[in-house]
Amino acid sequence: MIRKLAYVIALLIFAAIVIRQPESTADPSASPKDSSKEDLTRIDYPSLRKIDWKPHFIKPNETLESLFGNDWVTVARFNRIDRRHTYPGMTIKVPSDMASARSYTPLPLEYETAKRYQKFILISLTEQWIGAYENGKLKFSMPAATGKTGHETPTGLFRIDARHRTHTSSLYQTDDLSAQYPMDFAMRFHIGADNVSYWIHARDLPGKPASHGCVGLFDESMQNRMYGIPAKPVLFDSKKLYDWAVGESEYGEDSGELELIDDAPVVEVAGENPVYQPFPPKPMAASR
């Protein structure tokens, strides 16, 4: 009887560690400190109010690939999340019309302000999305992770003035404190009054604003190098934008070191960070 009681107590203690303090057993993992309760359906992106989707609670052993096959990329972009941050205990949005979702973008296909520039970058804080425009027309776009509450990315018109393909943060470290945080394919667009620089660069995307002010894009090669996952990198958004905006074809050989550049694309940061709603901000198709 005593042995059985000890066994039950041990199980309860282990469960408490996993549920109450998941960071003690895995990283990343569902965290009770997260104000969204790991429910990404509660993040209010205006563009998704017009699109049918349903929630899916991630169960043990489920991955984006096992759930959606080749369309895992579509679902990842739809949720502004990477594979490293998709784990049991969280809820994601799943588009009802996967074919239409493959071409999803919350940004306008033409943007009046961008028409005055050959190349123009629009960053929407509201949508957590970034677009590359050529003469006012959207060339391509991608999800982003901007500054979280208290560290919001500054809004306004800026211009890229430096590139650094192998940049690392001078202020922040990785989760395990083993290295300075990597910021591959970095493009500086603003230096604040406090001398803090703001960059567009490779980083983790957890499906919501998460940085200290910079703008992060998918880069699974960086994640593989730093964390060992994913095993086969697929998403290279930061490199794609870097090559388009400040690539060697226009700005000469890239040494990989910090380089100042002239006449680089203008960057507009607009909107406000999305808010967490008490409940999903739209009626879902499954409930109709």
Side-chain angles (χ1 to χ4, degrees):
M1 181 65 182
I2 295 176
R3 182 177 297 178
K4 289 183 178 179
L5 181 60
Y7 178 75
V8 171
I9 292 173
L11 282 179
L12 290 174
I13 291 173
F14 178 76
I17 292 174
V18 173
I19 296 171
R20 300 295 299 176
Q21 293 181 310
E23 64 271 23
S24 301
T25 59
D27 177 48
S29 54
S31 170
K33 297 178 181 178
D34 187 341
S35 59
S36 74
K37 307 304 180 188
E38 303 300 335
D39 186 350
L40 298 188
T41 68
R42 288 174 49 200
I43 302 179
D44 190 1
Y45 294 119
S47 64
L48 297 187
R49 298 173 193 165
K50 303 175 183 178
I51 299 175
D52 280 334
W53 53 267
K54 57 186 177 181
H56 180 82
F57 180 82
I58 304 294
K59 304 177 184 66
N61 301 317
E62 287 185 339
T63 65
L64 290 178
E65 297 99 312
S66 69
L67 288 168
F68 307 110
N70 292 335
D71 271 318
W72 74 262
V73 173
T74 298
V75 177
R77 293 187 181 283
F78 198 75
N79 285 274
R80 289 88 160 145
I81 197 168
D82 60 44
R83 285 186 280 180
R84 195 174 88 89
H85 284 85
T86 307
Y87 40 78
M90 72 187 312
T91 305
I92 61 173
K93 302 180 178 87
V94 179
S96 299
D97 186 344
M98 198 67 72
S100 295
R102 292 178 194 133
S103 59
Y104 164 74
T105 177
L107 301 184
L109 298 183
E110 294 191 13
Y111 189 56
E112 188 65 32
T113 305
K115 291 181 179 179
R116 301 195 296 271
Y117 304 96
Q118 181 181 1
K119 290 187 177 181
F120 184 94
I121 295 173
L122 174 62
I123 300 170
S124 171
L125 303 184
T126 309
E127 292 284 356
Q128 293 294 288
W129 209 269
I130 187 169
Y133 287 83
E134 294 183 356
N135 300 309
K137 294 185 178 181
L138 186 63
K139 182 74 172 178
F140 58 87
S141 70
M142 54 192 62
T146 67
K148 58 188 175 183
T149 301
H151 299 275
E152 288 85 355
T153 303
T155 57
L157 282 175
F158 310 98
R159 186 184 287 273
I160 293 172
D161 69 352
R163 68 179 181 182
H164 193 181
R165 181 162 45 84
T166 58
H167 190 61
T168 56
S169 174
S170 60
L171 298 175
Y172 305 108
Q173 294 181 305
T174 54
D175 295 337
D176 62 3
L177 305 181
S178 64
Q180 294 301 114
Y181 194 87
M183 299 167 60
D184 296 7
F185 301 108
M187 298 178 286
R188 188 175 66 194
F189 65 91
H190 179 56
I191 301 177
D194 55 1
N195 206 37
V196 172
S197 297
Y198 294 84
W199 302 76
I200 302 169
H201 63 85
R203 68 154 286 133
D204 294 355
L205 264 67
K208 54 198 169 187
S211 78
H212 287 85
C214 288
V215 179
L217 304 175
F218 282 135
D219 191 321
E220 292 190 330
S221 291
M222 177 274 290
Q223 291 184 318
N224 175 271
R225 184 179 80 245
M226 297 303 299
Y227 309 111
I229 55 174
K232 295 181 179 180
V234 172
L235 302 173
F236 311 106
D237 286 2
S238 60
K239 182 180 187 302
K240 180 177 182 178
L241 186 67
Y242 184 93
D243 289 344
W244 173 84
V246 297
E248 292 186 335
S249 61
E250 293 188 44
Y251 296 95
E253 183 179 356
D254 190 337
S255 67
E257 300 301 317
L258 176 63
E259 298 174 347
L260 300 179
I261 54 178
D262 296 318
D263 300 320
V266 168
V267 176
E268 180 181 1
V269 183
E272 298 179 347
N273 280 358
V275 298
Y276 295 109
Q277 301 290 0
F279 301 98
K282 64 175 288 293
M284 293 163 289
S287 64
R288 293 178 181 175

